[in-house]
PDB file of all heavy atoms in Angstrom:
ATOM      1  N   LEU A 129      -3.134  75.295 227.404  1.00  0.00           N
ATOM      2  CA  LEU A 129      -3.317  75.675 228.797  1.00  0.00           C
ATOM      3  C   LEU A 129      -4.231  74.675 229.483  1.00  0.00           C
ATOM      4  O   LEU A 129      -5.332  74.398 228.996  1.00  0.00           O
ATOM      5  CB  LEU A 129      -3.917  77.079 228.883  1.00  0.00           C
ATOM      6  CG  LEU A 129      -4.325  77.582 230.261  1.00  0.00           C
ATOM      7  CD1 LEU A 129      -3.090  77.737 231.147  1.00  0.00           C
ATOM      8  CD2 LEU A 129      -5.065  78.902 230.132  1.00  0.00           C
ATOM      9  N   VAL A 130      -3.769  74.128 230.598  1.00  0.00           N
ATOM     10  CA  VAL A 130      -4.565  73.170 231.359  1.00  0.00           C
ATOM     11  C   VAL A 130      -4.448  73.475 232.840  1.00  0.00           C
ATOM     12  O   VAL A 130      -3.503  74.128 233.283  1.00  0.00           O
ATOM     13  CB  VAL A 130      -4.125  71.716 231.112  1.00  0.00           C
ATOM     14  CG1 VAL A 130      -4.325  71.331 229.651  1.00  0.00           C
ATOM     15  CG2 VAL A 130      -2.668  71.532 231.518  1.00  0.00           C
ATOM     16  N   GLN A 131      -5.411  72.996 233.602  1.00  0.00           N
ATOM     17  CA  GLN A 131      -5.369  73.151 235.048  1.00  0.00           C
ATOM     18  C   GLN A 131      -4.534  72.047 235.665  1.00  0.00           C
ATOM     19  O   GLN A 131      -4.381  70.968 235.097  1.00  0.00           O
ATOM     20  CB  GLN A 131      -6.780  73.105 235.628  1.00  0.00           C
ATOM     21  CG  GLN A 131      -7.692  74.220 235.179  1.00  0.00           C
ATOM     22  CD  GLN A 131      -9.043  74.159 235.859  1.00  0.00           C
ATOM     23  OE1 GLN A 131      -9.138  74.062 237.083  1.00  0.00           O
ATOM     24  NE2 GLN A 131     -10.096  74.223 235.067  1.00  0.00           N
ATOM     25  N   ALA A 132      -3.975  72.325 236.816  1.00  0.00           N
ATOM     26  CA  ALA A 132      -3.215  71.316 237.539  1.00  0.00           C
ATOM     27  C   ALA A 132      -4.076  70.079 237.746  1.00  0.00           C
ATOM     28  O   ALA A 132      -5.249  70.177 238.096  1.00  0.00           O
ATOM     29  CB  ALA A 132      -2.739  71.873 238.874  1.00  0.00           C
ATOM     30  N   GLY A 133      -3.477  68.912 237.515  1.00  0.00           N
ATOM     31  CA  GLY A 133      -4.207  67.663 237.627  1.00  0.00           C
ATOM     32  C   GLY A 133      -4.780  67.186 236.315  1.00  0.00           C
ATOM     33  O   GLY A 133      -5.224  66.033 236.209  1.00  0.00           O
ATOM     34  N   GLY A 134      -4.756  68.040 235.312  1.00  0.00           N
ATOM     35  CA  GLY A 134      -5.295  67.692 234.017  1.00  0.00           C
ATOM     36  C   GLY A 134      -4.303  66.946 233.150  1.00  0.00           C
ATOM     37  O   GLY A 134      -3.204  66.608 233.588  1.00  0.00           O
ATOM     38  N   SER A 135      -4.697  66.715 231.903  1.00  0.00           N
ATOM     39  CA  SER A 135      -3.872  65.952 230.973  1.00  0.00           C
ATOM     40  C   SER A 135      -3.752  66.631 229.623  1.00  0.00           C
ATOM     41  O   SER A 135      -4.632  67.396 229.206  1.00  0.00           O
ATOM     42  CB  SER A 135      -4.462  64.549 230.762  1.00  0.00           C
ATOM     43  OG  SER A 135      -4.535  63.821 231.965  1.00  0.00           O
ATOM     44  N   LEU A 136      -2.658  66.346 228.943  1.00  0.00           N
ATOM     45  CA  LEU A 136      -2.427  66.802 227.585  1.00  0.00           C
ATOM     46  C   LEU A 136      -1.676  65.709 226.843  1.00  0.00           C
ATOM     47  O   LEU A 136      -0.924  64.944 227.452  1.00  0.00           O
ATOM     48  CB  LEU A 136      -1.589  68.080 227.542  1.00  0.00           C
ATOM     49  CG  LEU A 136      -2.271  69.426 227.743  1.00  0.00           C
ATOM     50  CD1 LEU A 136      -1.214  70.532 227.705  1.00  0.00           C
ATOM     51  CD2 LEU A 136      -3.318  69.676 226.673  1.00  0.00           C
ATOM     52  N   ARG A 137      -1.856  65.663 225.542  1.00  0.00           N
ATOM     53  CA  ARG A 137      -1.120  64.726 224.715  1.00  0.00           C
ATOM     54  C   ARG A 137      -0.403  65.502 223.620  1.00  0.00           C
ATOM     55  O   ARG A 137      -1.043  66.117 222.763  1.00  0.00           O
ATOM     56  CB  ARG A 137      -2.051  63.700 224.084  1.00  0.00           C
ATOM     57  CG  ARG A 137      -1.315  62.575 223.354  1.00  0.00           C
ATOM     58  CD  ARG A 137      -2.265  61.776 222.496  1.00  0.00           C
ATOM     59  NE  ARG A 137      -1.669  60.543 222.005  1.00  0.00           N
ATOM     60  CZ  ARG A 137      -2.157  59.817 221.007  1.00  0.00           C
ATOM     61  NH1 ARG A 137      -3.271  60.196 220.388  1.00  0.00           N
ATOM     62  NH2 ARG A 137      -1.543  58.701 220.634  1.00  0.00           N
ATOM     63  N   LEU A 138       0.909  65.466 223.651  1.00  0.00           N
ATOM     64  CA  LEU A 138       1.708  66.133 222.647  1.00  0.00           C
ATOM     65  C   LEU A 138       2.039  65.171 221.511  1.00  0.00           C
ATOM     66  O   LEU A 138       2.214  63.975 221.726  1.00  0.00           O
ATOM     67  CB  LEU A 138       3.013  66.658 223.247  1.00  0.00           C
ATOM     68  CG  LEU A 138       2.899  67.586 224.459  1.00  0.00           C
ATOM     69  CD1 LEU A 138       4.288  68.063 224.869  1.00  0.00           C
ATOM     70  CD2 LEU A 138       1.988  68.760 224.164  1.00  0.00           C
ATOM     71  N   SER A 139       2.138  65.715 220.319  1.00  0.00           N
ATOM     72  CA  SER A 139       2.496  64.922 219.156  1.00  0.00           C
ATOM     73  C   SER A 139       3.687  65.559 218.465  1.00  0.00           C
ATOM     74  O   SER A 139       3.860  66.774 218.490  1.00  0.00           O
ATOM     75  CB  SER A 139       1.332  64.829 218.167  1.00  0.00           C
ATOM     76  OG  SER A 139       0.220  64.182 218.736  1.00  0.00           O
ATOM     77  N   CYS A 140       4.499  64.731 217.845  1.00  0.00           N
ATOM     78  CA  CYS A 140       5.647  65.200 217.086  1.00  0.00           C
ATOM     79  C   CYS A 140       5.674  64.445 215.768  1.00  0.00           C
ATOM     80  O   CYS A 140       5.933  63.237 215.743  1.00  0.00           O
ATOM     81  CB  CYS A 140       6.946  64.960 217.858  1.00  0.00           C
ATOM     82  SG  CYS A 140       8.450  65.320 216.910  1.00  0.00           S
ATOM     83  N   ALA A 141       5.393  65.141 214.699  1.00  0.00           N
ATOM     84  CA  ALA A 141       5.388  64.537 213.376  1.00  0.00           C
ATOM     85  C   ALA A 141       6.752  64.708 212.729  1.00  0.00           C
ATOM     86  O   ALA A 141       7.264  65.820 212.646  1.00  0.00           O
ATOM     87  CB  ALA A 141       4.311  65.176 212.510  1.00  0.00           C
ATOM     88  N   ALA A 142       7.323  63.604 212.289  1.00  0.00           N
ATOM     89  CA  ALA A 142       8.640  63.619 211.668  1.00  0.00           C
ATOM     90  C   ALA A 142       8.532  63.350 210.171  1.00  0.00           C
ATOM     91  O   ALA A 142       7.714  62.546 209.728  1.00  0.00           O
ATOM     92  CB  ALA A 142       9.544  62.578 212.314  1.00  0.00           C
ATOM     93  N   SER A 143       9.367  64.018 209.421  1.00  0.00           N
ATOM     94  CA  SER A 143       9.427  63.791 207.988  1.00  0.00           C
ATOM     95  C   SER A 143      10.885  63.788 207.552  1.00  0.00           C
ATOM     96  O   SER A 143      11.731  64.402 208.196  1.00  0.00           O
ATOM     97  CB  SER A 143       8.646  64.864 207.222  1.00  0.00           C
ATOM     98  OG  SER A 143       9.191  66.156 207.451  1.00  0.00           O
ATOM     99  N   GLY A 144      11.164  63.091 206.473  1.00  0.00           N
ATOM    100  CA  GLY A 144      12.523  62.994 205.989  1.00  0.00           C
ATOM    101  C   GLY A 144      13.011  61.556 206.004  1.00  0.00           C
ATOM    102  O   GLY A 144      12.217  60.620 205.997  1.00  0.00           O
ATOM    103  N   ARG A 145      14.302  61.388 206.057  1.00  0.00           N
ATOM    104  CA  ARG A 145      14.904  60.063 206.039  1.00  0.00           C
ATOM    105  C   ARG A 145      14.725  59.357 207.375  1.00  0.00           C
ATOM    106  O   ARG A 145      15.230  59.806 208.399  1.00  0.00           O
ATOM    107  CB  ARG A 145      16.386  60.170 205.693  1.00  0.00           C
ATOM    108  CG  ARG A 145      16.653  60.658 204.272  1.00  0.00           C
ATOM    109  CD  ARG A 145      18.116  60.965 204.064  1.00  0.00           C
ATOM    110  NE  ARG A 145      18.538  62.112 204.846  1.00  0.00           N
ATOM    111  CZ  ARG A 145      19.768  62.592 204.878  1.00  0.00           C
ATOM    112  NH1 ARG A 145      20.710  62.012 204.146  1.00  0.00           N
ATOM    113  NH2 ARG A 145      20.058  63.640 205.625  1.00  0.00           N
ATOM    114  N   THR A 146      14.004  58.252 207.358  1.00  0.00           N
ATOM    115  CA  THR A 146      13.699  57.507 208.573  1.00  0.00           C
ATOM    116  C   THR A 146      14.954  57.084 209.330  1.00  0.00           C
ATOM    117  O   THR A 146      14.999  57.138 210.555  1.00  0.00           O
ATOM    118  CB  THR A 146      12.851  56.266 208.248  1.00  0.00           C
ATOM    119  OG1 THR A 146      11.648  56.664 207.578  1.00  0.00           O
ATOM    120  CG2 THR A 146      12.487  55.520 209.527  1.00  0.00           C
ATOM    121  N   PHE A 147      15.966  56.673 208.615  1.00  0.00           N
ATOM    122  CA  PHE A 147      17.193  56.200 209.255  1.00  0.00           C
ATOM    123  C   PHE A 147      17.953  57.308 209.964  1.00  0.00           C
ATOM    124  O   PHE A 147      18.900  57.031 210.699  1.00  0.00           O
ATOM    125  CB  PHE A 147      18.101  55.519 208.225  1.00  0.00           C
ATOM    126  CG  PHE A 147      18.532  56.408 207.089  1.00  0.00           C
ATOM    127  CD1 PHE A 147      19.614  57.266 207.234  1.00  0.00           C
ATOM    128  CD2 PHE A 147      17.871  56.377 205.869  1.00  0.00           C
ATOM    129  CE1 PHE A 147      20.018  58.082 206.194  1.00  0.00           C
ATOM    130  CE2 PHE A 147      18.264  57.191 204.823  1.00  0.00           C
ATOM    131  CZ  PHE A 147      19.337  58.043 204.983  1.00  0.00           C
ATOM    132  N   SER A 148      17.551  58.531 209.773  1.00  0.00           N
ATOM    133  CA  SER A 148      18.240  59.655 210.380  1.00  0.00           C
ATOM    134  C   SER A 148      17.724  60.002 211.775  1.00  0.00           C
ATOM    135  O   SER A 148      18.299  60.857 212.441  1.00  0.00           O
ATOM    136  CB  SER A 148      18.128  60.889 209.474  1.00  0.00           C
ATOM    137  OG  SER A 148      18.801  60.677 208.243  1.00  0.00           O
ATOM    138  N   TYR A 149      16.642  59.371 212.205  1.00  0.00           N
ATOM    139  CA  TYR A 149      16.092  59.660 213.530  1.00  0.00           C
ATOM    140  C   TYR A 149      15.628  58.377 214.223  1.00  0.00           C
ATOM    141  O   TYR A 149      14.440  58.165 214.456  1.00  0.00           O
ATOM    142  CB  TYR A 149      14.959  60.685 213.460  1.00  0.00           C
ATOM    143  CG  TYR A 149      13.875  60.429 212.430  1.00  0.00           C
ATOM    144  CD1 TYR A 149      12.707  59.765 212.777  1.00  0.00           C
ATOM    145  CD2 TYR A 149      14.022  60.879 211.124  1.00  0.00           C
ATOM    146  CE1 TYR A 149      11.716  59.534 211.839  1.00  0.00           C
ATOM    147  CE2 TYR A 149      13.030  60.652 210.179  1.00  0.00           C
ATOM    148  CZ  TYR A 149      11.874  59.980 210.545  1.00  0.00           C
ATOM    149  OH  TYR A 149      10.883  59.767 209.616  1.00  0.00           O
ATOM    150  N   ALA A 150      16.579  57.533 214.577  1.00  0.00           N
ATOM    151  CA  ALA A 150      16.284  56.263 215.222  1.00  0.00           C
ATOM    152  C   ALA A 150      15.604  56.448 216.577  1.00  0.00           C
ATOM    153  O   ALA A 150      14.429  56.128 216.751  1.00  0.00           O
ATOM    154  CB  ALA A 150      17.566  55.446 215.363  1.00  0.00           C
ATOM    155  N   ALA A 151      16.354  56.965 217.543  1.00  0.00           N
ATOM    156  CA  ALA A 151      15.787  57.248 218.857  1.00  0.00           C
ATOM    157  C   ALA A 151      15.164  58.639 218.863  1.00  0.00           C
ATOM    158  O   ALA A 151      15.658  59.552 218.210  1.00  0.00           O
ATOM    159  CB  ALA A 151      16.856  57.140 219.934  1.00  0.00           C
ATOM    160  N   MET A 152      14.079  58.785 219.600  1.00  0.00           N
ATOM    161  CA  MET A 152      13.417  60.075 219.705  1.00  0.00           C
ATOM    162  C   MET A 152      13.206  60.415 221.170  1.00  0.00           C
ATOM    163  O   MET A 152      13.205  59.533 222.029  1.00  0.00           O
ATOM    164  CB  MET A 152      12.078  60.066 218.966  1.00  0.00           C
ATOM    165  CG  MET A 152      12.206  59.789 217.482  1.00  0.00           C
ATOM    166  SD  MET A 152      10.643  59.940 216.573  1.00  0.00           S
ATOM    167  CE  MET A 152      10.428  61.726 216.559  1.00  0.00           C
ATOM    168  N   ALA A 153      13.027  61.691 221.449  1.00  0.00           N
ATOM    169  CA  ALA A 153      12.917  62.130 222.831  1.00  0.00           C
ATOM    170  C   ALA A 153      12.118  63.415 222.951  1.00  0.00           C
ATOM    171  O   ALA A 153      11.801  64.076 221.951  1.00  0.00           O
ATOM    172  CB  ALA A 153      14.309  62.333 223.428  1.00  0.00           C
ATOM    173  N   TRP A 154      11.791  63.738 224.180  1.00  0.00           N
ATOM    174  CA  TRP A 154      11.171  65.007 224.521  1.00  0.00           C
ATOM    175  C   TRP A 154      12.027  65.722 225.547  1.00  0.00           C
ATOM    176  O   TRP A 154      12.496  65.114 226.514  1.00  0.00           O
ATOM    177  CB  TRP A 154       9.767  64.812 225.100  1.00  0.00           C
ATOM    178  CG  TRP A 154       8.740  64.388 224.104  1.00  0.00           C
ATOM    179  CD1 TRP A 154       8.330  63.126 223.837  1.00  0.00           C
ATOM    180  CD2 TRP A 154       7.977  65.248 223.248  1.00  0.00           C
ATOM    181  NE1 TRP A 154       7.361  63.130 222.869  1.00  0.00           N
ATOM    182  CE2 TRP A 154       7.124  64.422 222.486  1.00  0.00           C
ATOM    183  CE3 TRP A 154       7.927  66.631 223.052  1.00  0.00           C
ATOM    184  CZ2 TRP A 154       6.230  64.927 221.537  1.00  0.00           C
ATOM    185  CZ3 TRP A 154       7.047  67.140 222.106  1.00  0.00           C
ATOM    186  CH2 TRP A 154       6.213  66.295 221.363  1.00  0.00           C
ATOM    187  N   PHE A 155      12.223  67.001 225.330  1.00  0.00           N
ATOM    188  CA  PHE A 155      12.897  67.875 226.275  1.00  0.00           C
ATOM    189  C   PHE A 155      11.975  69.044 226.553  1.00  0.00           C
ATOM    190  O   PHE A 155      11.018  69.285 225.821  1.00  0.00           O
ATOM    191  CB  PHE A 155      14.225  68.378 225.708  1.00  0.00           C
ATOM    192  CG  PHE A 155      15.274  67.317 225.563  1.00  0.00           C
ATOM    193  CD1 PHE A 155      15.268  66.450 224.481  1.00  0.00           C
ATOM    194  CD2 PHE A 155      16.280  67.183 226.513  1.00  0.00           C
ATOM    195  CE1 PHE A 155      16.234  65.470 224.341  1.00  0.00           C
ATOM    196  CE2 PHE A 155      17.259  66.209 226.385  1.00  0.00           C
ATOM    197  CZ  PHE A 155      17.231  65.352 225.299  1.00  0.00           C
ATOM    198  N   ARG A 156      12.272  69.790 227.596  1.00  0.00           N
ATOM    199  CA  ARG A 156      11.469  70.971 227.889  1.00  0.00           C
ATOM    200  C   ARG A 156      12.345  72.064 228.470  1.00  0.00           C
ATOM    201  O   ARG A 156      13.406  71.800 229.030  1.00  0.00           O
ATOM    202  CB  ARG A 156      10.320  70.640 228.856  1.00  0.00           C
ATOM    203  CG  ARG A 156      10.763  70.242 230.258  1.00  0.00           C
ATOM    204  CD  ARG A 156       9.573  69.789 231.082  1.00  0.00           C
ATOM    205  NE  ARG A 156       9.944  69.445 232.438  1.00  0.00           N
ATOM    206  CZ  ARG A 156       9.118  68.918 233.336  1.00  0.00           C
ATOM    207  NH1 ARG A 156       7.852  68.673 233.003  1.00  0.00           N
ATOM    208  NH2 ARG A 156       9.537  68.635 234.555  1.00  0.00           N
TER     209      ARG A 156
END
């Protein structure tokens, strides 16, 4: 939870076969 104008940093840790996830993205 943040106030308008604030900042957040999201992280996504991946595990498994590297060749299986070349491009990565964020959706909401």
Side-chain angles (χ1 to χ4, degrees):
L129 173 65
V130 297
Q131 297 184 51
S135 300
L136 277 178
R137 188 193 192 196
L138 305 183
S139 298
C140 173
S143 61
R145 294 170 293 179
T146 303
F147 60 83
S148 295
Y149 49 95
M152 299 186 73
W154 288 96
F155 291 80
R156 66 186 182 186

